[in-house]
Amino acid sequence: MQGTIIKGIAGFYYVRVEDEVYECKARGKFRNEGVTPLIGDAVSIEVDYDNQDTNYAYKQGHIVEIFERKNKLVRPPVANVDQGIVVFAVTYPQIHLDLLDRFLIMMEIEGIKPYIALNKIDGAPRETYEYIVKGYEQSGYKVLLVSAKKQIGLDDLRAVLKDKISFFAGPSGVGKSTLLNSIEPHLKLQTGDVSEKIKRGKHTTRHVELLPFSGGGYVLDTPGFTSLQFETIDQDELKYYFPEFKPFEGKCKFNGCSHIHEPKCAVKEALERGELFKLRYDNYVTYYNQLKETRKW
């Protein structure tokens, strides 16, 4: 039988096959091959009909094959997703554009369509975050303005999620679980408040789980985190994961222009004209130099 891994806990993988869920262990061959099943994997399972506990909630089986993935992320650890919604709050925890850009790069690398959701817009005047909206829309990203508390923008979010496999990601305390509960009350996900002492969110999501969305498709609520590293790409590849640079490809004086120190660079000229979001360009330069330094070792 073929199905999809919707949850993994303590070495057990829960595989949905049509309307039924099976609790499965992975065959030893995967461990020997260094392959770890991921949430979202399309798999083939064999049901252990001879050793079923009739008092148990799930039928037991084994994963015997993991089909080819169309994409994969390490954080959150998911596979075969269509899109990612990166959630930040406009009040607190404070928005860190460095972390946001790292998320976006990861999704660009894997070919996953990204969305940015700015939550808690009822708690701050528009002018305090307008530069972020304009900057990222200028960079080619769709920005959703939402408030779970005041039920603002939730219809737009539902429309984005319909019939897609989507993941929610972002730091703890920004309201990912609260947003999901607002659009899907039956989920009843645990939520946590922001610590008043350190102005950071308390971790509430303990594992990654694929949840059915009533409008069609699935959503994943993922554990919050505050750092994200990418070291698998070369510094000269980095520019290809900034979509706002694409209109200027081939227009620089030098082939292979890094868009940093070369003269007559079309990207830097566009930056000077105000056609690019400077804070995001500054992050690009930082990442480029970090990757270049890493390659020395």
Side-chain angles (χ1 to χ4, degrees):
M1 293 190 296
Q2 294 184 11
T4 302
I5 298 177
I6 61 169
K7 178 172 63 174
I9 300 177
F12 289 94
Y13 300 94
Y14 296 82
V15 179
R16 179 177 293 278
V17 180
E18 296 180 350
D19 294 329
E20 190 159 14
V21 176
Y22 296 82
E23 183 184 75
C24 299
K25 296 283 285 186
R27 290 291 190 196
K29 69 174 185 177
F30 299 115
R31 182 173 60 254
N32 296 336
E33 295 169 357
V35 176
T36 301
L38 293 176
I39 310 308
D41 270 335
V43 299
S44 178
I45 68 170
E46 291 180 351
V47 180
D48 189 359
Y49 291 105
D50 295 330
N51 295 290
Q52 296 294 332
D53 183 347
T54 56
N55 296 318
Y56 197 57
Y58 302 101
K59 293 180 180 178
Q60 289 85 54
H62 288 86
I63 296 173
V64 297
E65 184 176 2
I66 299 174
F67 297 104
E68 183 178 359
R69 295 162 175 160
K70 68 178 182 181
N71 53 50
K72 179 183 75 171
L73 287 175
V74 176
R75 298 191 67 177
V78 297
N80 301 320
V81 295
D82 297 312
Q83 57 190 22
I85 292 83
V86 186
V87 184
F88 281 82
V90 299
T91 51
Y92 55 78
Q94 181 182 355
I95 299 176
H96 291 285
L97 299 187
D98 167 66
L99 182 58
L100 172 55
D101 282 333
R102 289 177 182 271
F103 273 119
L104 295 176
I105 290 169
M106 288 297 189
M107 285 188 274
E108 294 287 348
I109 290 172
E110 293 295 336
I112 298 169
K113 185 175 180 62
Y115 289 88
I116 300 167
L118 297 183
N119 191 23
K120 306 181 185 180
I121 62 168
D122 58 292
R126 173 94 182 209
E127 56 267 23
T128 62
Y129 57 86
E130 180 68 17
Y131 75 99
I132 296 175
V133 178
K134 289 183 176 179
Y136 282 91
E137 288 182 341
Q138 184 181 41
S139 302
Y141 293 101
K142 173 68 175 177
V143 181
L144 302 167
L145 300 177
V146 297
S147 168
K149 181 179 179 180
K150 296 294 185 178
Q151 302 285 295
I152 299 171
L154 300 188
D155 286 342
D156 292 337
L157 185 55
R158 289 189 186 96
V160 165
L161 297 175
K162 182 176 173 58
D163 296 327
K164 302 291 185 181
I165 297 179
S166 314
F167 70 85
F168 276 46
S172 300
V174 297
K176 301 185 299 296
S177 298
T178 302
L179 273 176
L180 282 172
N181 284 337
S182 296
I183 59 176
E184 290 287 324
H186 73 275
L187 296 177
K188 297 179 181 178
L189 298 174
Q190 182 183 358
T191 61
D193 299 324
V194 173
S195 168
E196 289 298 326
K197 181 178 180 180
I198 60 176
K199 298 299 184 185
R200 290 172 59 183
K202 303 172 185 177
H203 295 273
T204 54
T205 305
R206 301 302 181 187
H207 60 269
V208 181
E209 182 174 356
L210 201 62
L211 305 167
F213 180 56
S214 61
Y218 291 90
V219 294
L220 296 107
D221 182 26
T222 64
F225 41 90
T226 55
S227 64
L228 191 67
Q229 302 298 322
F230 51 89
E231 298 176 350
T232 59
I233 62 173
D234 187 270
Q235 73 267 16
D236 293 325
E237 297 176 40
L238 181 64
K239 60 186 176 184
Y240 300 119
Y241 304 119
F242 279 71
E244 61 267 46
F245 293 174
K246 291 180 181 178
F248 308 104
E249 286 182 14
K251 297 181 180 180
C252 299
K253 179 179 179 179
F254 297 100
N255 292 330
C257 182
S258 69
H259 310 319
I260 295 177
H261 56 267
E262 298 89 344
K264 296 186 178 180
C265 167
V267 168
K268 290 194 296 181
E269 290 171 356
L271 182 67
E272 292 175 1
R273 294 192 299 268
E275 296 174 10
L276 297 175
F277 186 28
K278 187 177 185 305
L279 292 178
R280 188 165 148 82
Y281 174 82
D282 290 344
N283 281 342
Y284 165 75
V285 175
T286 298
Y287 304 153
Y288 180 93
N289 289 328
Q290 288 174 347
L291 289 171
K292 186 176 180 180
E293 192 65 27
T294 301
R295 293 300 176 267
K296 289 182 180 180
W297 302 97

